[in-house]
Amino acid sequence: MDPHTVRTDSAGAQNVPAQARKRFELLQECRELILARLVSTVADALNKMSDDLTAEALKSKQDEHRQALLDAVMMVRENRAEIEARFRRCFGDVFERRLFAAKDTKDANAVAGKLRADELELVSDEVIQDKLTVDRLIGKARGQLDPDEVLGVRARLGALLDREWFEENRHPAAPEAIFEALKTALAELSPSPQVKAALLDAFEPYVSSNLNSIYASVNERLRSHQILPKIRPQVQNAASPRRAAAPGAPDVPATPAAGAAGAPGGGPAASRSAAGYTIHGGAPGAVAASGDAPPQPVADGAGAAAAGASDAAGGPAAGEALAPAAQLALLQQAIAQATSGKASGRAHAARMLSDPAMFGVADLPLSPVEPPLLAALTDLQQSGEIVAGEQASVHPEIVSKVREHGSALDQVTVEIVSVVFDYIYADRRIPDPIKQQLLRLQVAAVKAALLDRSFFARRQHPMRRMIDRISDLGADPDADVSPGSPLVTALAQLIDWILVEFDTDLGVFAEALERLESIARDEAERRAAHLAEIEREAALKEALAVAEEQARTELGQRMDKETPAFLREFLYRWWTIALARWKVGAGDDGSAWADGLRAAEYLIWSVAPKHGEDVSRLATILPRMIRALNLGVSSIEMPREERDRFFDELLQAHTREIEAAKKRGGTSQPVRSKPSVRLESDGSVRFVDRRGEGARSDEVPTLAAAELLLQSLRRGQRVELADAAGAAKVYKLAWISPARKLFVLTRYPEPPLTFASSEFASLLDSERARLIADESAMDRMIEALTRDPAPTAASQPIPAELA
């Protein structure tokens, strides 16, 4: 008996939620549970990983390996929050992609492994080693898994989706998915291969030890909702259909898929895109028989849905979930209204086609695009008639071809794509040279949306990913997007290649995305030296800022209410700078810092109230003290007029104190109680720290409020900053100091802007600076499109956030 073959009790199977919306809600609940638990695991690993890696480095006898481990420690300490955030995003993408790809495993595998024999020779040793490392870690994690929990997740998630069970290595929470997300998240930070391997190795024990409990939580959650409450092994004929249509389920006319006219017996045929999305031409839930399909879990009666439809303009009532046939009826009515010119029909069709629940759960038997239309669009695509930047909306020739050869659904789809390009054209976050290249993809985007109707609903649709990645690259404030720049030229060449190669296989975009990532790496390398210099300068400023704060604290402890105002200003404003430079100076052993503090102590004592006998002692220390002060102010380029004014006031203060001391005479009369700085009989100065005695301290104001405001920021975020005239520009948060004292914003080709934490917090609090949300260009466009009451190219108002 195949250990991976399962069967569910029919009593339990009948309780699988038949309503598509309910299944989708459960699926989202499981996704959030898995994501939250995995992010918590990664966070826990990052908290402990530094100690783990350091201990391993101390034991390593290989210099190269030891250095890689120590570099990994530094990377974790400096990028902990960023690694966690990137993993969250990457795993969410992998999870979604695997959900949709699972419907057509063979096609998905074909796309993922699409390498010609002559290309295999070009794979670098680094890539091969990377794959071997990940495979080894996956094997270790899989060796600790409970087979029953794994089988439960595979079968129950499959039942939720009303599809076949997931293969062992292809379910959305498989070890392969987790390590793929970890590898991608780390690769985005560009570590060396050795450092990346060390980090992946360090993550493995935490992932392996937590996966069983994560799977158990998912299984328990789904069992509590009666999703396959009992699973037992049983062999099943691989060619038999997994589900039978429920009694009373509505008949849906079969729609032969493109290229499937020769299906034996006229049975259900499927048109599969390279992205793995399947559009069935038979009844909802029908599965084409396959002689080489593996045995599948049986869920008799599961997924059966009640028929029914509601008014297309208004949609289903609140809380009402619709079966696939009813959803199809609604969509057909909306399309009929749209083609008759009703704006409400167009809006409702757009909302339905943008709803992930429709494509994530139900197999809607949507009619495929007809070959004559695809051929006409391909001819137009390759003719070069669509010129970059010619216009925003879809070219009239495209609309003409669709009206001539397409269905009503095709026409509505193209109209919505037209609105997407309106948004691209209006989005001020995308520079004009990038917009021009995106607009060249009009025909390709129309074809991609026609070939795979989930274009508007799926973030992982290959064309959506292409538009998102190009937009993200172009909107990077550090990118040189001037006409003719290396980035714009490379993008133009890539789009030339897409327009020549793309016929009907969406797999072209998988290779295009790989080429796009190569372009992104080249662009990053061009900026690397400049960014490294920015980081070095920022690190020096950070060290100086920390040293200045420490100097202010030390000086504040030495002064009291008797210290003159002019001297307090000099010490806080200028002497802190001198002390900070001595502290962070190359090769400083701490003696310069100590000498600088001692000079400040002599200075504070020199202007304090004195007795007559102190006058001679003052005369003794003055030459040495003045030399030290001159040395300090020279090192910080103190303006000449301020320097002269300070020494004039110092001379006047000394004169006043000498005259006052002569009047006081001997030591019988106390001058002040418990001074922090006193002169010893041998002429040395002594500082007495009286903080524990309640003495006043003039420390620098705390930055706690600023730190609370800024603690969630991470490198790479984009910030919109208003200048003095109110004009806004977008910058990248290129560097955050380890102590979060300094924040560096960059924007090509302008010089970097450096802000202290308190200053940056003030900008954010006053809204002169604001964070730009990390969302994809297509997400913004689709959201704006579905909000609008009438998504048409002719009457489309551009939302304020895009205008």
Side-chain angles (χ1 to χ4, degrees), residues 260-565:
S271 171
R272 295 178 174 89
S273 73
Y277 177 70
T278 307
I279 302 174
H280 289 291
V287 179
S290 172
D292 58 356
Q296 305 295 344
V298 177
D300 298 327
S310 59
D311 177 53
E320 180 183 355
L322 297 175
Q327 290 176 319
L328 178 63
L330 274 178
L331 181 59
Q332 289 172 338
Q333 292 178 34
I335 291 170
Q337 290 188 351
T339 53
S340 67
K342 292 185 178 180
S344 61
R346 285 191 293 268
H348 189 58
R351 292 188 184 97
M352 294 192 71
L353 291 173
S354 304
D355 184 2
M358 289 186 62
F359 296 95
V361 177
D363 290 333
L364 292 181
L366 300 178
S367 59
V369 60
E370 294 297 329
L373 175 56
L374 285 177
L377 291 175
T378 299
D379 290 342
L380 181 61
Q381 169 188 307
Q382 298 178 350
S383 68
E385 294 182 18
I386 308 300
V387 181
E390 182 176 315
Q391 60 187 58
S393 299
V394 167
H395 196 279
E397 188 65 20
I398 301 175
V399 178
S400 174
K401 297 292 185 185
V402 174
R403 287 177 178 170
E404 180 181 354
H405 301 289
S407 64
L409 176 59
D410 296 336
Q411 294 178 36
V412 172
T413 300
V414 171
E415 186 172 2
I416 300 174
V417 172
S418 178
V419 176
V420 169
F421 279 97
D422 281 344
Y423 287 146
I424 290 175
Y425 192 78
D427 193 341
R428 60 186 174 85
R429 303 180 190 180
I430 304 176
D432 286 342
I434 304 299
K435 288 179 183 177
Q436 292 175 8
Q437 298 306 321
L438 286 170
L439 293 174
R440 296 177 59 204
L441 289 171
Q442 292 180 43
V443 185
V446 166
K447 286 171 56 181
L450 294 173
L451 285 165
D452 185 345
R453 305 289 186 181
S454 67
F455 175 84
F456 305 104
R458 277 205 303 130
R459 291 180 177 177
Q460 291 301 322
H461 190 289
M463 175 53 85
R464 282 191 62 169
R465 293 175 64 199
M466 175 64 60
I467 292 175
D468 273 339
R469 192 66 180 104
I470 292 176
S471 300
D472 187 62
L473 271 178
D476 186 340
D478 279 340
D480 179 4
V481 293
S482 58
S485 67
L487 175 60
V488 173
T489 300
L491 288 177
Q493 293 171 348
L494 174 62
I495 292 174
D496 288 341
W497 179 83
I498 291 173
L499 297 180
V500 170
E501 294 294 324
F502 177 41
D503 183 15
T504 59
D505 181 10
L506 294 178
V508 166
F509 293 103
E511 184 175 349
L513 282 166
E514 291 178 4
R515 296 187 178 202
L516 188 57
E517 290 307 319
S518 178
I519 293 172
R521 286 192 294 272
D522 291 343
E523 179 67 15
E525 288 175 2
R526 278 192 291 272
R527 302 198 302 258
H530 177 61
L531 292 177
E533 180 61 28
I534 289 174
E535 290 187 9
R536 282 193 295 271
E537 293 177 359
L540 176 59
K541 289 180 180 179
E542 160 74 3
L544 287 170
V546 172
E548 284 186 33
E549 185 175 343
Q550 183 178 353
R552 286 178 64 87
T553 301
E554 294 287 347
L555 293 173
Q557 293 166 6
R558 286 159 172 78
M559 290 184 281
D560 55 31
K561 61 182 180 180
E562 302 290 343
T563 306

Side-chain angles (χ1 to χ4, degrees), residues 560-562 670-676 678 690:
D560 55 31
K561 61 182 180 180
E562 302 290 343
V671 180
R672 57 176 179 169
S673 61
K674 297 184 179 179
S676 296
R678 64 180 62 167
R690 298 193 179 279

Side-chain angles (χ1 to χ4, degrees), residues 164-344:
E164 310 299 343
W165 64 332
F166 284 97
E167 292 184 14
E168 185 173 10
N169 64 340
R170 298 192 61 80
H171 69 82
E176 287 81 357
I178 298 167
F179 282 101
E180 178 186 349
L182 281 170
K183 184 177 72 171
T184 303
L186 294 174
E188 291 177 354
L189 296 171
S190 302
S192 69
Q194 295 81 4
V195 171
K196 183 168 64 175
L199 289 171
L200 289 172
D201 272 324
F203 274 116
E204 182 274 322
Y206 296 92
V207 172
S208 299
S209 62
N210 283 280
L211 266 185
N212 276 325
S213 66
I214 294 173
Y215 291 171
S217 298
V218 173
N219 282 320
E220 182 59 32
R221 182 71 57 88
L222 293 179
R223 277 196 299 266
S224 70
H225 288 280
Q226 297 302 304
I227 308 299
L228 309 187
K230 295 182 180 180
I231 299 175
R232 66 174 184 268
Q234 178 171 323
V235 175
Q236 180 195 0
N237 187 345
S240 64
R242 182 172 65 90
R243 285 171 172 54
D251 293 330
V252 180
T255 308
S271 171
R272 295 178 174 89
S273 73
Y277 177 70
T278 307
I279 302 174
H280 289 291
V287 179
S290 172
D292 58 356
Q296 305 295 344
V298 177
D300 298 327
S310 59
D311 177 53
E320 180 183 355
L322 297 175
Q327 290 176 319
L328 178 63
L330 274 178
L331 181 59
Q332 289 172 338
Q333 292 178 34
I335 291 170
Q337 290 188 351
T339 53
S340 67
K342 292 185 178 180
S344 61

Side-chain angles (χ1 to χ4, degrees), residues 564 566 606-607 648-658:
F566 85 92
S606 74
V607 296
D648 286 344
E649 291 183 338
L650 181 61
L651 176 60
Q652 295 172 21
H654 287 161
T655 301
R656 287 193 301 270
E657 286 305 321
I658 289 172

